[in-house]
Amino acid sequence: MKKRSYILYIMYAVVGILSLTTAACSSDKEEGEKPSLKNKTMEVAFSISVPGSENASNAKTTKTPDPGTDTGEHDDWDKLTIIIAYTQSDMKKTVYYDTFTKEEFYSNNVVQHQHTNSRLLPDSDNDGYHEFMMILPIGECRIYGVTYTDGKGFDPVGELKEIKDDGKDYNDDIIKLQISNDYAKDDGAKVAKFISVATGYAINTKDNSEVLQVSLDNIEEMKQYWRMQLNRLAAKVDIQWDAQSAYEKNTETGNVQYTDVKINSFSFCGGATDQNVGAGYLFPTLAKKKNLPAISGKKDFINTSEISRRNGRVYHYTFPDGHAPKITFKLETTTTASTGNADKKTSTYTFDLKNVTEGSLLPATWYKINVKVTGKEKQESIIIDSFK
């Protein structure tokens, strides 16, 4: 599984000013050290990949691709943090972590960190996977990873340092880790850095299990089957609207029904609408399984020009939180009554995505929404059932 293919979801919608309708592999790169029985620890080995690592030799940051396009040109990050959290251990310390720079990850030499007893090996097979080794206790654990840029409003290491060495299982706390949608907001390469955040957790490719048994009997299986593939976290919502059809002549009377139609503004509404920006979970699929609350906030888009009020397009990047958002449009319409007087009205139309893609936005996915404004029966709320 060297590459992941990404999906472009497209939803076509016709918004009536009076109605809404929709159509909508094993690695033996280096022999590990002998296990240490004295302290009930051993060297654990598994493989890691990040987006674009298959094409690392050609990686650039000259343009920003959409989530869903694996071009190898989006690795605008400088830190990779690997987290090991025990579900069961005889040790007081149950959470271990180490951070590598991007230069260390792509190095042609073995990178060794003495303070954590860990090693990162080069990608000698050119398959995008690097073998990671670390001295860890016997027991059961889960393994997580995240790439990010240091100093951009996200500090996972700082949060990990707050975890106590008291022998407890802190996996739920790891799953609750969040990243703000204001991440890298003051950076000129904000979008590139935003979509370069990648997360994932290790699985056994033989049986898809997520809990690793660290034991002397499991050494070869760890090296052969355990993989952690990090994938981009951000989702992209691409919204395009067109109100021109509202000015088309009525087929029965030959008259134009509306003399003025404007989409003055619209909003992306996450579940936590009381938050202006909100955040996403580092591991939204796991957060969804845990039924964690919605934390994605609201983003308003104001159409300031006459042209943009008639038709336009905007992209919104967000970190998923395991919940489905809504998108609301505010339409201002003007019709001419039989008396000749202008009748102005403002209406709000809502697209509810609660039934799509397992009831939530998926990471590394591009959602395309086409909105066409016409003059038909009134229906101000619609549930989007599917993207095709």
Side-chain angles (χ1 to χ4, degrees):
M1 189 167 60
K2 299 179 181 179
K3 295 184 179 179
R4 175 180 174 181
S5 59
Y6 298 91
I7 302 171
L8 165 62
Y9 285 117
I10 303 180
M11 183 277 288
Y12 290 95
V14 176
V15 181
I17 294 172
L18 300 177
S19 85
L20 291 113
T21 59
T22 62
C25 27
S26 71
S27 174
D28 55 357
K29 299 172 184 175
E30 182 169 315
E31 187 66 23
E33 297 177 359
K34 298 298 181 182
S36 170
L37 296 176
K38 182 178 179 180
N39 297 316
K40 295 184 179 180
T41 61
M42 59 177 287
E43 186 171 68
V44 174
F46 58 91
S47 296
I48 302 172
S49 73
V50 302
S53 58
E54 303 92 342
N55 305 311
S57 60
N58 298 319
K60 301 177 183 177
T61 56
T62 55
K63 68 177 182 178
T64 302
D66 298 313
T69 307
D70 195 2
T71 65
E73 299 175 351
H74 49 267
D75 57 342
D76 197 352
W77 56 272
D78 60 21
K79 293 289 189 296
L80 162 66
T81 295
I82 301 165
I83 308 165
I84 300 96
Y86 276 78
T87 60
Q88 181 179 335
S89 175
D90 293 333
M91 301 292 194
K92 286 292 185 182
K93 185 177 178 66
T94 55
V95 177
Y96 300 78
Y97 55 90
D98 197 3
T99 298
F100 294 88
T101 66
K102 184 170 72 173
E103 289 72 21
E104 288 176 325
F105 183 80
Y106 288 125
S107 173
N108 293 321
N109 302 310
V110 175
V111 177
Q112 186 158 351
H113 290 174
Q114 298 292 344
H115 64 290
T116 56
N117 291 318
S118 66
R119 290 183 293 163
L120 186 65
L121 276 58
D123 177 16
S124 58
D125 292 341
N126 293 319
D127 62 356
Y129 283 92
H130 298 245
E131 192 166 81
F132 172 77
M133 300 175 176
M134 191 175 193
I135 304 296
L136 291 168
I138 302 296
E140 296 180 354
C141 64
R142 299 185 64 134
I143 302 165
Y144 312 85
V146 55
T147 62
Y148 58 100
T149 300
D150 197 22
K152 298 301 174 183
F154 174 58
D155 180 20
V157 173
E159 296 191 50
L160 292 170
K161 287 180 178 178
E162 298 298 318
I163 295 177
K164 299 178 180 179
D165 295 337
D166 54 10
K168 294 182 180 179
D169 177 358
Y170 282 99
N171 277 276
D172 282 352
D173 295 82
I174 304 301
I175 294 172
K176 291 177 183 177
L177 288 174
Q178 304 176 11
I179 181 168
S180 172
N181 284 318
D182 257 351
Y183 173 78
K185 66 176 181 178
D186 296 325
D187 195 293
K190 170 183 167 59
V191 174
K193 285 183 166 54
F194 202 94
I195 67 172
S196 293
V197 174
T199 66
Y201 49 91
I203 64 169
N204 186 328
T205 57
K206 184 173 66 173
D207 59 13
N208 290 322
S209 57
E210 299 172 4
V211 178
L212 172 62
Q213 179 69 48
V214 180
S215 69
L216 298 178
D217 298 329
N218 205 27
I219 297 176
E220 290 306 317
E221 180 163 313
M222 284 187 284
K223 293 182 66 174
Q224 185 171 358
Y225 295 111
W226 279 86
R227 298 281 185 274
M228 182 163 69
Q229 178 176 317
L230 305 191
N231 296 297
R232 283 186 298 284
L233 182 60
K236 174 183 176 181
V237 181
D238 177 356
I239 305 170
Q240 187 169 359
W241 62 95
D242 180 8
Q244 187 61 39
S245 296
Y247 295 90
E248 295 174 358
K249 289 186 177 181
N250 186 290
T251 56
E252 296 180 359
T253 66
N255 298 322
V256 176
Q257 184 175 4
Y258 296 95
T259 58
D260 193 17
V261 179
K262 298 177 181 179
I263 300 178
N264 290 326
S265 66
F266 62 93
S267 300
F268 174 92
C269 305
T273 53
D274 59 326
Q275 301 183 36
N276 290 330
V277 177
Y281 292 109
L282 290 191
F283 312 101
T285 55
L286 298 179
K288 184 177 177 62
K289 291 179 181 178
K290 293 286 185 179
N291 293 316
L292 295 185
I295 57 175
S296 179
K298 184 178 180 181
K299 172 69 174 179
D300 294 323
F301 298 89
I302 308 299
N303 297 328
T304 57
S305 68
E306 287 300 318
I307 293 178
S308 66
R309 290 174 184 140
R310 296 283 182 90
N311 56 72
R313 187 174 184 178
V314 72
Y315 309 102
H316 178 55
Y317 294 90
T318 185
F319 292 124
D321 66 351
H323 294 264
K326 295 179 181 180
I327 298 171
T328 62
F329 283 83
K330 287 190 178 298
L331 272 67
E332 182 180 293
T333 63
T334 303
T335 59
T336 302
S338 58
T339 60
N341 297 324
D343 181 17
K344 292 188 176 182
K345 181 180 180 182
T346 299
S347 302
T348 300
Y349 297 88
T350 300
F351 293 90
D352 193 334
L353 278 65
K354 66 182 180 181
N355 285 354
V356 304
T357 55
E358 302 175 3
S360 63
L361 292 186
L362 300 179
T365 305
W366 178 10
Y367 296 86
K368 179 67 164 63
I369 299 175
N370 291 337
V371 180
K372 185 177 182 180
V373 180
T374 63
K376 296 183 180 177
E377 287 180 34
K378 185 172 184 179
Q379 182 184 348
E380 293 186 351
S381 181
I382 187 165
I383 296 174
I384 306 303
D385 290 322
S386 64
F387 282 78
K388 299 179 182 179

